């Protein structure tokens, strides 16, 4: 072990004392040209990395205003409403997603996340489809995590845990409860289904956000939500 540590220390000492060993060939050629008296152009400055657009939250008032204008222009067409509303919101928040974010998958199961603006827009589209344009769609300030079993093969998710930077985030509310799924052949199974709501701030970018769906048996389903996906949760 001492011999190995000595060898590592020696290599570190050599690499720090002789930096040219790690330099690219182009730098060596430039030094040779300078030594020979040839003019050497200055090394171009590295291009800065493209900046991520500043993150911002959509507010209820601006989303309602966009939805009202899109409803007026869509003239009762729900798909046209989605197109117009999405176009207007994307000008404000390029990362916005009209659809819920699928964060975990398993056979017969989906776990999706939807923020306040996405939930509002989906509900508004439904009110147009049902020809209820005058219905005032409620606004929730929380994020909804939906556990959606679709077949009897789905794992029975008894619990969902959200962690932000290693700390558990307490849910605001949960309707996760047993429900019966039945096939066309009459086979049935009882699995949990429902929604768990969390504070919107739990999904702010800039932290590690991990969602774990815990089944009655088998392996936990762990989903780390990327920074890009956190920006989509509005």
């Amino acid at each position: 072990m001492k011999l190995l540590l000595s060898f590592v220390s020696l290599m570190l000492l050599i690499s720090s004392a002789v930096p040219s060993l790690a330099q690219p060939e182009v730098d060596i050629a430039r030094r040779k040209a300078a030594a020979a008296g040839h003019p050497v152009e200055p090394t171009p400055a590295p291009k800065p990395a493209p900046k991520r657009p500043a993150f911002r939250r959509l507010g209820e008032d601006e989303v309602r205003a966009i939805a009202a204008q899109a409803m007026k222009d869509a003239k009762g067409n729900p798909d046209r409403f989605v197109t117009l509303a999405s176009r207007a919101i994307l000008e404000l928040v390029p990362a916005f997603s009209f659809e819920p974010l699928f964060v975990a998958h398993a056979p017969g199961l989906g776990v999706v996340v939807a923020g306040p603006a996405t939930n509002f827009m989906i509900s508004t589209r439904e009110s147009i489809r049902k020809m209820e344009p005058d219905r005032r769609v409620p606004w929730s300030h929380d994020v909804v995590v939906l556990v959606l079993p679709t077949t009897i093969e789905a794992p029975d998710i008894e619990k969902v845990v959200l962690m932000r930077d290693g700390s558990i985030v307490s849910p605001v509310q949960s309707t996760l409860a047993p429900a019966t799924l039945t096939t066309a052949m009459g086979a049935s199974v009882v699995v949990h289904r429902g929604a768990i709501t969390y504070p919107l701030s739990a999904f702010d970018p800039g932290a590690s956000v991990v969602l774990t769906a815990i089944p009655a048996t088998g392996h936990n389903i762990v989903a780390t939500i990327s920074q890009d996906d956190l920006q989509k949760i509005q």
Side-chain angles (χ1 to χ4, degrees):
M1 177 62 72
K2 290 183 179 180
L3 179 61
L4 176 60
L5 292 175
S6 299
F7 177 77
V8 172
S9 301
L10 179 61
M11 292 302 296
L12 291 174
L13 179 62
I14 291 175
S15 62
S16 61
V18 190
S20 61
L21 292 176
Q23 292 181 349
E25 294 182 1
V26 64
D27 290 340
I28 298 174
R30 291 172 63 84
R31 290 200 304 274
K32 288 182 178 179
H38 300 304
V40 179
E41 296 181 0
T43 303
K47 294 182 179 180
K51 292 184 178 180
R52 184 191 297 271
F55 177 73
R56 70 182 293 264
R57 284 286 183 208
L58 290 167
E60 177 182 358
D61 291 342
E62 61 184 341
V63 173
R64 284 191 180 277
I66 288 172
Q69 185 61 52
M71 287 178 66
K72 179 180 178 181
D73 296 338
K75 300 184 185 335
N77 185 324
D79 295 329
R80 179 66 175 161
F81 166 77
V82 171
T83 299
L84 294 173
S86 296
R87 185 182 302 161
I89 290 180
L90 289 173
E91 291 180 358
L92 302 175
V93 180
F96 175 75
S97 174
F98 204 105
E99 299 297 329
L101 179 68
F102 277 81
V103 295
H105 300 270
L109 174 73
V111 179
V112 302
V113 176
T118 296
N119 277 325
F120 177 83
M121 285 298 183
I122 292 174
S123 297
T124 302
R125 182 193 182 282
E126 281 299 283
S127 72
I128 297 172
R129 184 185 67 82
K130 295 179 179 179
M131 299 183 180
E132 301 171 345
D134 296 329
R135 181 172 72 90
R136 181 173 174 81
V137 175
W139 177 276
S140 170
H141 294 280
D142 300 318
V143 173
V144 178
V145 177
L146 294 170
V147 177
L148 303 172
T150 56
T151 70
I152 61 174
E153 288 79 18
D156 182 16
I157 303 301
E158 293 184 333
K159 185 179 181 181
V160 172
V161 175
L162 178 69
M163 301 190 73
R164 181 177 176 87
D165 278 345
S167 297
I168 293 178
V169 179
S170 298
V172 176
Q173 183 181 356
S174 176
T175 62
L176 189 64
T180 301
L181 295 183
T182 305
T183 69
M185 301 298 293
S188 64
V189 65
V190 176
V191 293
H192 284 69
R193 177 174 60 192
I196 309 97
T197 57
Y198 292 96
L200 179 57
S201 59
F203 294 87
D204 284 346
S208 170
V209 178
V210 180
L211 189 72
T212 303
I214 303 175
T217 59
H219 299 287
N220 292 350
I221 303 170
V222 182
T224 299
I225 305 177
S226 70
Q227 295 301 307
D228 286 340
D229 283 342
L230 288 175
Q231 297 228 6
K232 297 177 182 178
I233 300 174
Q234 291 279 350

PDB file of all heavy atoms in Angstrom, residues 66-86 98 121-122 124-133:
ATOM      1  N   ILE A  66     -53.944  34.401 -20.494  1.00  0.00           N
ATOM      2  CA  ILE A  66     -53.590  33.678 -21.721  1.00  0.00           C
ATOM      3  C   ILE A  66     -54.698  32.705 -22.103  1.00  0.00           C
ATOM      4  O   ILE A  66     -55.089  32.586 -23.271  1.00  0.00           O
ATOM      5  CB  ILE A  66     -52.250  32.946 -21.533  1.00  0.00           C
ATOM      6  CG1 ILE A  66     -51.095  33.946 -21.498  1.00  0.00           C
ATOM      7  CG2 ILE A  66     -52.026  31.920 -22.646  1.00  0.00           C
ATOM      8  CD1 ILE A  66     -49.765  33.338 -21.122  1.00  0.00           C
ATOM      9  N   ALA A  67     -55.224  31.983 -21.108  1.00  0.00           N
ATOM     10  CA  ALA A  67     -56.281  31.007 -21.374  1.00  0.00           C
ATOM     11  C   ALA A  67     -57.535  31.695 -21.895  1.00  0.00           C
ATOM     12  O   ALA A  67     -58.188  31.192 -22.833  1.00  0.00           O
ATOM     13  CB  ALA A  67     -56.594  30.218 -20.105  1.00  0.00           C
ATOM     14  N   ALA A  68     -57.876  32.848 -21.320  1.00  0.00           N
ATOM     15  CA  ALA A  68     -59.083  33.560 -21.764  1.00  0.00           C
ATOM     16  C   ALA A  68     -58.962  34.004 -23.214  1.00  0.00           C
ATOM     17  O   ALA A  68     -59.914  33.860 -24.002  1.00  0.00           O
ATOM     18  CB  ALA A  68     -59.329  34.763 -20.856  1.00  0.00           C
ATOM     19  N   GLN A  69     -57.788  34.518 -23.590  1.00  0.00           N
ATOM     20  CA  GLN A  69     -57.601  34.956 -24.978  1.00  0.00           C
ATOM     21  C   GLN A  69     -57.597  33.763 -25.922  1.00  0.00           C
ATOM     22  O   GLN A  69     -58.181  33.817 -27.013  1.00  0.00           O
ATOM     23  CB  GLN A  69     -56.287  35.723 -25.098  1.00  0.00           C
ATOM     24  CG  GLN A  69     -56.045  36.339 -26.476  1.00  0.00           C
ATOM     25  CD  GLN A  69     -57.108  37.350 -26.849  1.00  0.00           C
ATOM     26  OE1 GLN A  69     -57.404  38.271 -26.078  1.00  0.00           O
ATOM     27  NE2 GLN A  69     -57.700  37.200 -28.029  1.00  0.00           N
ATOM     28  N   ALA A  70     -56.950  32.669 -25.512  1.00  0.00           N
ATOM     29  CA  ALA A  70     -56.907  31.473 -26.360  1.00  0.00           C
ATOM     30  C   ALA A  70     -58.298  30.868 -26.520  1.00  0.00           C
ATOM     31  O   ALA A  70     -58.654  30.396 -27.613  1.00  0.00           O
ATOM     32  CB  ALA A  70     -55.944  30.448 -25.765  1.00  0.00           C
ATOM     33  N   MET A  71     -59.107  30.873 -25.476  1.00  0.00           N
ATOM     34  CA  MET A  71     -60.474  30.372 -25.573  1.00  0.00           C
ATOM     35  C   MET A  71     -61.279  31.204 -26.567  1.00  0.00           C
ATOM     36  O   MET A  71     -62.040  30.663 -27.379  1.00  0.00           O
ATOM     37  CB  MET A  71     -61.152  30.389 -24.201  1.00  0.00           C
ATOM     38  CG  MET A  71     -60.665  29.326 -23.237  1.00  0.00           C
ATOM     39  SD  MET A  71     -61.467  29.436 -21.612  1.00  0.00           S
ATOM     40  CE  MET A  71     -63.152  29.013 -22.057  1.00  0.00           C
ATOM     41  N   LYS A  72     -61.114  32.501 -26.498  1.00  0.00           N
ATOM     42  CA  LYS A  72     -61.837  33.386 -27.406  1.00  0.00           C
ATOM     43  C   LYS A  72     -61.454  33.131 -28.854  1.00  0.00           C
ATOM     44  O   LYS A  72     -62.308  33.040 -29.744  1.00  0.00           O
ATOM     45  CB  LYS A  72     -61.546  34.843 -27.030  1.00  0.00           C
ATOM     46  CG  LYS A  72     -62.226  35.868 -27.921  1.00  0.00           C
ATOM     47  CD  LYS A  72     -61.876  37.277 -27.474  1.00  0.00           C
ATOM     48  CE  LYS A  72     -62.509  38.321 -28.407  1.00  0.00           C
ATOM     49  NZ  LYS A  72     -62.155  39.706 -27.985  1.00  0.00           N
ATOM     50  N   ASP A  73     -60.144  32.990 -29.101  1.00  0.00           N
ATOM     51  CA  ASP A  73     -59.666  32.794 -30.475  1.00  0.00           C
ATOM     52  C   ASP A  73     -59.916  31.376 -30.983  1.00  0.00           C
ATOM     53  O   ASP A  73     -60.024  31.170 -32.194  1.00  0.00           O
ATOM     54  CB  ASP A  73     -58.170  33.113 -30.555  1.00  0.00           C
ATOM     55  CG  ASP A  73     -57.869  34.574 -30.238  1.00  0.00           C
ATOM     56  OD1 ASP A  73     -58.794  35.402 -30.369  1.00  0.00           O
ATOM     57  OD2 ASP A  73     -56.724  34.880 -29.861  1.00  0.00           O
ATOM     58  N   ALA A  74     -59.992  30.403 -30.071  1.00  0.00           N
ATOM     59  CA  ALA A  74     -60.182  29.011 -30.491  1.00  0.00           C
ATOM     60  C   ALA A  74     -61.606  28.727 -30.939  1.00  0.00           C
ATOM     61  O   ALA A  74     -61.859  27.739 -31.636  1.00  0.00           O
ATOM     62  CB  ALA A  74     -59.801  28.066 -29.357  1.00  0.00           C
ATOM     63  N   LYS A  75     -62.557  29.559 -30.521  1.00  0.00           N
ATOM     64  CA  LYS A  75     -63.954  29.425 -30.958  1.00  0.00           C
ATOM     65  C   LYS A  75     -64.508  28.014 -30.708  1.00  0.00           C
ATOM     66  O   LYS A  75     -65.120  27.395 -31.582  1.00  0.00           O
ATOM     67  CB  LYS A  75     -64.100  29.800 -32.435  1.00  0.00           C
ATOM     68  CG  LYS A  75     -63.679  31.234 -32.737  1.00  0.00           C
ATOM     69  CD  LYS A  75     -63.926  31.580 -34.176  1.00  0.00           C
ATOM     70  CE  LYS A  75     -63.439  32.947 -34.594  1.00  0.00           C
ATOM     71  NZ  LYS A  75     -63.297  33.978 -33.605  1.00  0.00           N
ATOM     72  N   GLY A  76     -64.272  27.501 -29.502  1.00  0.00           N
ATOM     73  CA  GLY A  76     -64.845  26.220 -29.124  1.00  0.00           C
ATOM     74  C   GLY A  76     -64.066  25.000 -29.547  1.00  0.00           C
ATOM     75  O   GLY A  76     -64.501  23.873 -29.291  1.00  0.00           O
ATOM     76  N   ASN A  77     -62.902  25.168 -30.177  1.00  0.00           N
ATOM     77  CA  ASN A  77     -62.086  24.027 -30.604  1.00  0.00           C
ATOM     78  C   ASN A  77     -61.024  23.755 -29.542  1.00  0.00           C
ATOM     79  O   ASN A  77     -60.089  24.544 -29.388  1.00  0.00           O
ATOM     80  CB  ASN A  77     -61.422  24.341 -31.953  1.00  0.00           C
ATOM     81  CG  ASN A  77     -60.660  23.148 -32.512  1.00  0.00           C
ATOM     82  OD1 ASN A  77     -60.064  22.378 -31.783  1.00  0.00           O
ATOM     83  ND2 ASN A  77     -60.685  23.016 -33.831  1.00  0.00           N
ATOM     84  N   PRO A  78     -61.123  22.645 -28.804  1.00  0.00           N
ATOM     85  CA  PRO A  78     -60.169  22.401 -27.712  1.00  0.00           C
ATOM     86  C   PRO A  78     -58.736  22.229 -28.193  1.00  0.00           C
ATOM     87  O   PRO A  78     -57.804  22.655 -27.516  1.00  0.00           O
ATOM     88  CB  PRO A  78     -60.701  21.125 -27.044  1.00  0.00           C
ATOM     89  CG  PRO A  78     -61.579  20.479 -28.059  1.00  0.00           C
ATOM     90  CD  PRO A  78     -62.149  21.583 -28.882  1.00  0.00           C
ATOM     91  N   ASP A  79     -58.541  21.589 -29.344  1.00  0.00           N
ATOM     92  CA  ASP A  79     -57.183  21.408 -29.858  1.00  0.00           C
ATOM     93  C   ASP A  79     -56.573  22.740 -30.291  1.00  0.00           C
ATOM     94  O   ASP A  79     -55.372  22.988 -30.088  1.00  0.00           O
ATOM     95  CB  ASP A  79     -57.177  20.423 -31.024  1.00  0.00           C
ATOM     96  CG  ASP A  79     -57.579  19.021 -30.599  1.00  0.00           C
ATOM     97  OD1 ASP A  79     -57.300  18.663 -29.441  1.00  0.00           O
ATOM     98  OD2 ASP A  79     -58.179  18.295 -31.417  1.00  0.00           O
ATOM     99  N   ARG A  80     -57.399  23.587 -30.881  1.00  0.00           N
ATOM    100  CA  ARG A  80     -56.930  24.921 -31.254  1.00  0.00           C
ATOM    101  C   ARG A  80     -56.573  25.721 -30.006  1.00  0.00           C
ATOM    102  O   ARG A  80     -55.594  26.482 -30.002  1.00  0.00           O
ATOM    103  CB  ARG A  80     -58.021  25.631 -32.055  1.00  0.00           C
ATOM    104  CG  ARG A  80     -57.689  27.052 -32.488  1.00  0.00           C
ATOM    105  CD  ARG A  80     -56.552  27.090 -33.471  1.00  0.00           C
ATOM    106  NE  ARG A  80     -56.325  28.441 -33.968  1.00  0.00           N
ATOM    107  CZ  ARG A  80     -55.193  28.833 -34.545  1.00  0.00           C
ATOM    108  NH1 ARG A  80     -54.192  27.969 -34.714  1.00  0.00           N
ATOM    109  NH2 ARG A  80     -55.055  30.075 -34.993  1.00  0.00           N
ATOM    110  N   PHE A  81     -57.343  25.541 -28.946  1.00  0.00           N
ATOM    111  CA  PHE A  81     -57.034  26.204 -27.677  1.00  0.00           C
ATOM    112  C   PHE A  81     -55.653  25.799 -27.178  1.00  0.00           C
ATOM    113  O   PHE A  81     -54.853  26.654 -26.756  1.00  0.00           O
ATOM    114  CB  PHE A  81     -58.085  25.859 -26.622  1.00  0.00           C
ATOM    115  CG  PHE A  81     -57.668  26.210 -25.226  1.00  0.00           C
ATOM    116  CD1 PHE A  81     -57.714  27.519 -24.776  1.00  0.00           C
ATOM    117  CD2 PHE A  81     -57.199  25.228 -24.365  1.00  0.00           C
ATOM    118  CE1 PHE A  81     -57.305  27.842 -23.493  1.00  0.00           C
ATOM    119  CE2 PHE A  81     -56.787  25.548 -23.082  1.00  0.00           C
ATOM    120  CZ  PHE A  81     -56.847  26.856 -22.647  1.00  0.00           C
ATOM    121  N   VAL A  82     -55.358  24.500 -27.222  1.00  0.00           N
ATOM    122  CA  VAL A  82     -54.047  24.016 -26.767  1.00  0.00           C
ATOM    123  C   VAL A  82     -52.931  24.667 -27.579  1.00  0.00           C
ATOM    124  O   VAL A  82     -51.915  25.124 -27.025  1.00  0.00           O
ATOM    125  CB  VAL A  82     -53.971  22.482 -26.869  1.00  0.00           C
ATOM    126  CG1 VAL A  82     -52.549  22.006 -26.609  1.00  0.00           C
ATOM    127  CG2 VAL A  82     -54.939  21.833 -25.898  1.00  0.00           C
ATOM    128  N   THR A  83     -53.099  24.728 -28.899  1.00  0.00           N
ATOM    129  CA  THR A  83     -52.070  25.307 -29.761  1.00  0.00           C
ATOM    130  C   THR A  83     -51.833  26.779 -29.426  1.00  0.00           C
ATOM    131  O   THR A  83     -50.689  27.223 -29.267  1.00  0.00           O
ATOM    132  CB  THR A  83     -52.484  25.177 -31.238  1.00  0.00           C
ATOM    133  OG1 THR A  83     -52.627  23.785 -31.560  1.00  0.00           O
ATOM    134  CG2 THR A  83     -51.441  25.807 -32.147  1.00  0.00           C
ATOM    135  N   LEU A  84     -52.905  27.539 -29.303  1.00  0.00           N
ATOM    136  CA  LEU A  84     -52.778  28.977 -29.054  1.00  0.00           C
ATOM    137  C   LEU A  84     -52.234  29.261 -27.651  1.00  0.00           C
ATOM    138  O   LEU A  84     -51.351  30.115 -27.481  1.00  0.00           O
ATOM    139  CB  LEU A  84     -54.135  29.651 -29.237  1.00  0.00           C
ATOM    140  CG  LEU A  84     -54.712  29.632 -30.660  1.00  0.00           C
ATOM    141  CD1 LEU A  84     -56.132  30.179 -30.661  1.00  0.00           C
ATOM    142  CD2 LEU A  84     -53.827  30.426 -31.609  1.00  0.00           C
ATOM    143  N   ALA A  85     -52.748  28.551 -26.660  1.00  0.00           N
ATOM    144  CA  ALA A  85     -52.289  28.777 -25.296  1.00  0.00           C
ATOM    145  C   ALA A  85     -50.829  28.374 -25.130  1.00  0.00           C
ATOM    146  O   ALA A  85     -50.045  29.079 -24.484  1.00  0.00           O
ATOM    147  CB  ALA A  85     -53.174  28.019 -24.316  1.00  0.00           C
ATOM    148  N   SER A  86     -50.459  27.242 -25.711  1.00  0.00           N
ATOM    149  CA  SER A  86     -49.072  26.777 -25.607  1.00  0.00           C
ATOM    150  C   SER A  86     -48.130  27.772 -26.255  1.00  0.00           C
ATOM    151  O   SER A  86     -47.060  28.085 -25.714  1.00  0.00           O
ATOM    152  CB  SER A  86     -48.917  25.408 -26.270  1.00  0.00           C
ATOM    153  OG  SER A  86     -49.676  24.429 -25.601  1.00  0.00           O
ATOM    154  N   PHE A  98     -47.318  21.422 -21.783  1.00  0.00           N
ATOM    155  CA  PHE A  98     -48.771  21.353 -21.593  1.00  0.00           C
ATOM    156  C   PHE A  98     -49.171  20.008 -21.015  1.00  0.00           C
ATOM    157  O   PHE A  98     -50.195  19.892 -20.340  1.00  0.00           O
ATOM    158  CB  PHE A  98     -49.471  21.587 -22.935  1.00  0.00           C
ATOM    159  CG  PHE A  98     -50.882  22.092 -22.813  1.00  0.00           C
ATOM    160  CD1 PHE A  98     -51.183  23.416 -23.067  1.00  0.00           C
ATOM    161  CD2 PHE A  98     -51.914  21.251 -22.450  1.00  0.00           C
ATOM    162  CE1 PHE A  98     -52.483  23.902 -22.964  1.00  0.00           C
ATOM    163  CE2 PHE A  98     -53.216  21.710 -22.340  1.00  0.00           C
ATOM    164  CZ  PHE A  98     -53.499  23.040 -22.597  1.00  0.00           C
ATOM    165  N   MET A 121     -54.445  24.367 -17.385  1.00  0.00           N
ATOM    166  CA  MET A 121     -54.656  24.318 -18.830  1.00  0.00           C
ATOM    167  C   MET A 121     -55.367  23.035 -19.253  1.00  0.00           C
ATOM    168  O   MET A 121     -56.241  23.049 -20.129  1.00  0.00           O
ATOM    169  CB  MET A 121     -53.322  24.447 -19.563  1.00  0.00           C
ATOM    170  CG  MET A 121     -52.760  25.854 -19.558  1.00  0.00           C
ATOM    171  SD  MET A 121     -53.881  27.001 -20.399  1.00  0.00           S
ATOM    172  CE  MET A 121     -52.952  28.528 -20.315  1.00  0.00           C
ATOM    173  N   ILE A 122     -55.034  21.918 -18.627  1.00  0.00           N
ATOM    174  CA  ILE A 122     -55.713  20.654 -18.946  1.00  0.00           C
ATOM    175  C   ILE A 122     -57.187  20.732 -18.568  1.00  0.00           C
ATOM    176  O   ILE A 122     -58.072  20.322 -19.335  1.00  0.00           O
ATOM    177  CB  ILE A 122     -55.019  19.479 -18.229  1.00  0.00           C
ATOM    178  CG1 ILE A 122     -53.622  19.244 -18.808  1.00  0.00           C
ATOM    179  CG2 ILE A 122     -55.858  18.206 -18.345  1.00  0.00           C
ATOM    180  CD1 ILE A 122     -52.819  18.205 -18.055  1.00  0.00           C
ATOM    181  N   THR A 124     -58.968  23.460 -18.292  1.00  0.00           N
ATOM    182  CA  THR A 124     -59.630  24.415 -19.179  1.00  0.00           C
ATOM    183  C   THR A 124     -59.944  23.774 -20.522  1.00  0.00           C
ATOM    184  O   THR A 124     -61.033  23.985 -21.088  1.00  0.00           O
ATOM    185  CB  THR A 124     -58.743  25.656 -19.383  1.00  0.00           C
ATOM    186  OG1 THR A 124     -58.462  26.251 -18.104  1.00  0.00           O
ATOM    187  CG2 THR A 124     -59.440  26.685 -20.259  1.00  0.00           C
ATOM    188  N   ARG A 125     -59.012  22.992 -21.032  1.00  0.00           N
ATOM    189  CA  ARG A 125     -59.274  22.284 -22.293  1.00  0.00           C
ATOM    190  C   ARG A 125     -60.483  21.367 -22.145  1.00  0.00           C
ATOM    191  O   ARG A 125     -61.324  21.275 -23.046  1.00  0.00           O
ATOM    192  CB  ARG A 125     -58.050  21.471 -22.708  1.00  0.00           C
ATOM    193  CG  ARG A 125     -58.237  20.751 -24.040  1.00  0.00           C
ATOM    194  CD  ARG A 125     -57.171  19.717 -24.289  1.00  0.00           C
ATOM    195  NE  ARG A 125     -57.347  19.079 -25.599  1.00  0.00           N
ATOM    196  CZ  ARG A 125     -58.239  18.124 -25.860  1.00  0.00           C
ATOM    197  NH1 ARG A 125     -59.064  17.697 -24.896  1.00  0.00           N
ATOM    198  NH2 ARG A 125     -58.345  17.610 -27.071  1.00  0.00           N
ATOM    199  N   GLU A 126     -60.600  20.679 -21.004  1.00  0.00           N
ATOM    200  CA  GLU A 126     -61.735  19.798 -20.771  1.00  0.00           C
ATOM    201  C   GLU A 126     -63.044  20.578 -20.706  1.00  0.00           C
ATOM    202  O   GLU A 126     -64.076  20.107 -21.185  1.00  0.00           O
ATOM    203  CB  GLU A 126     -61.521  18.999 -19.487  1.00  0.00           C
ATOM    204  CG  GLU A 126     -60.591  17.813 -19.642  1.00  0.00           C
ATOM    205  CD  GLU A 126     -61.140  16.814 -20.646  1.00  0.00           C
ATOM    206  OE1 GLU A 126     -62.067  16.060 -20.288  1.00  0.00           O
ATOM    207  OE2 GLU A 126     -60.642  16.794 -21.795  1.00  0.00           O
ATOM    208  N   SER A 127     -63.000  21.771 -20.110  1.00  0.00           N
ATOM    209  CA  SER A 127     -64.226  22.575 -20.044  1.00  0.00           C
ATOM    210  C   SER A 127     -64.675  22.997 -21.440  1.00  0.00           C
ATOM    211  O   SER A 127     -65.882  23.080 -21.720  1.00  0.00           O
ATOM    212  CB  SER A 127     -64.013  23.796 -19.155  1.00  0.00           C
ATOM    213  OG  SER A 127     -63.176  24.758 -19.781  1.00  0.00           O
ATOM    214  N   ILE A 128     -63.720  23.241 -22.335  1.00  0.00           N
ATOM    215  CA  ILE A 128     -64.066  23.571 -23.722  1.00  0.00           C
ATOM    216  C   ILE A 128     -64.643  22.350 -24.423  1.00  0.00           C
ATOM    217  O   ILE A 128     -65.649  22.423 -25.134  1.00  0.00           O
ATOM    218  CB  ILE A 128     -62.831  24.105 -24.469  1.00  0.00           C
ATOM    219  CG1 ILE A 128     -62.350  25.417 -23.832  1.00  0.00           C
ATOM    220  CG2 ILE A 128     -63.141  24.331 -25.951  1.00  0.00           C
ATOM    221  CD1 ILE A 128     -61.035  25.915 -24.385  1.00  0.00           C
ATOM    222  N   ARG A 129     -63.998  21.198 -24.222  1.00  0.00           N
ATOM    223  CA  ARG A 129     -64.474  19.963 -24.857  1.00  0.00           C
ATOM    224  C   ARG A 129     -65.888  19.627 -24.413  1.00  0.00           C
ATOM    225  O   ARG A 129     -66.717  19.155 -25.208  1.00  0.00           O
ATOM    226  CB  ARG A 129     -63.519  18.808 -24.525  1.00  0.00           C
ATOM    227  CG  ARG A 129     -63.870  17.492 -25.216  1.00  0.00           C
ATOM    228  CD  ARG A 129     -62.966  16.368 -24.761  1.00  0.00           C
ATOM    229  NE  ARG A 129     -63.172  16.019 -23.366  1.00  0.00           N
ATOM    230  CZ  ARG A 129     -64.151  15.224 -22.929  1.00  0.00           C
ATOM    231  NH1 ARG A 129     -65.032  14.715 -23.782  1.00  0.00           N
ATOM    232  NH2 ARG A 129     -64.261  14.924 -21.648  1.00  0.00           N
ATOM    233  N   LYS A 130     -66.185  19.874 -23.149  1.00  0.00           N
ATOM    234  CA  LYS A 130     -67.517  19.568 -22.614  1.00  0.00           C
ATOM    235  C   LYS A 130     -68.519  20.702 -22.843  1.00  0.00           C
ATOM    236  O   LYS A 130     -69.631  20.660 -22.330  1.00  0.00           O
ATOM    237  CB  LYS A 130     -67.410  19.263 -21.118  1.00  0.00           C
ATOM    238  CG  LYS A 130     -66.611  18.007 -20.810  1.00  0.00           C
ATOM    239  CD  LYS A 130     -66.511  17.774 -19.315  1.00  0.00           C
ATOM    240  CE  LYS A 130     -65.733  16.510 -19.003  1.00  0.00           C
ATOM    241  NZ  LYS A 130     -65.615  16.276 -17.533  1.00  0.00           N
ATOM    242  N   MET A 131     -68.078  21.712 -23.610  1.00  0.00           N
ATOM    243  CA  MET A 131     -68.932  22.861 -23.940  1.00  0.00           C
ATOM    244  C   MET A 131     -69.405  23.576 -22.685  1.00  0.00           C
ATOM    245  O   MET A 131     -70.576  23.919 -22.529  1.00  0.00           O
ATOM    246  CB  MET A 131     -70.114  22.422 -24.809  1.00  0.00           C
ATOM    247  CG  MET A 131     -69.689  21.832 -26.125  1.00  0.00           C
ATOM    248  SD  MET A 131     -71.102  21.394 -27.174  1.00  0.00           S
ATOM    249  CE  MET A 131     -70.246  20.731 -28.615  1.00  0.00           C
ATOM    250  N   GLU A 132     -68.445  23.799 -21.780  1.00  0.00           N
ATOM    251  CA  GLU A 132     -68.707  24.553 -20.554  1.00  0.00           C
ATOM    252  C   GLU A 132     -67.737  25.736 -20.469  1.00  0.00           C
ATOM    253  O   GLU A 132     -66.979  25.872 -19.494  1.00  0.00           O
ATOM    254  CB  GLU A 132     -68.538  23.657 -19.326  1.00  0.00           C
ATOM    255  CG  GLU A 132     -69.458  22.453 -19.309  1.00  0.00           C
ATOM    256  CD  GLU A 132     -69.111  21.465 -18.197  1.00  0.00           C
ATOM    257  OE1 GLU A 132     -68.005  21.555 -17.630  1.00  0.00           O
ATOM    258  OE2 GLU A 132     -69.957  20.596 -17.919  1.00  0.00           O
ATOM    259  N   PRO A 133     -67.725  26.600 -21.472  1.00  0.00           N
ATOM    260  CA  PRO A 133     -66.716  27.667 -21.526  1.00  0.00           C
ATOM    261  C   PRO A 133     -66.854  28.696 -20.409  1.00  0.00           C
ATOM    262  O   PRO A 133     -65.888  29.408 -20.107  1.00  0.00           O
ATOM    263  CB  PRO A 133     -66.958  28.307 -22.899  1.00  0.00           C
ATOM    264  CG  PRO A 133     -68.399  28.038 -23.191  1.00  0.00           C
ATOM    265  CD  PRO A 133     -68.670  26.676 -22.610  1.00  0.00           C
TER     266      PRO A 133
END
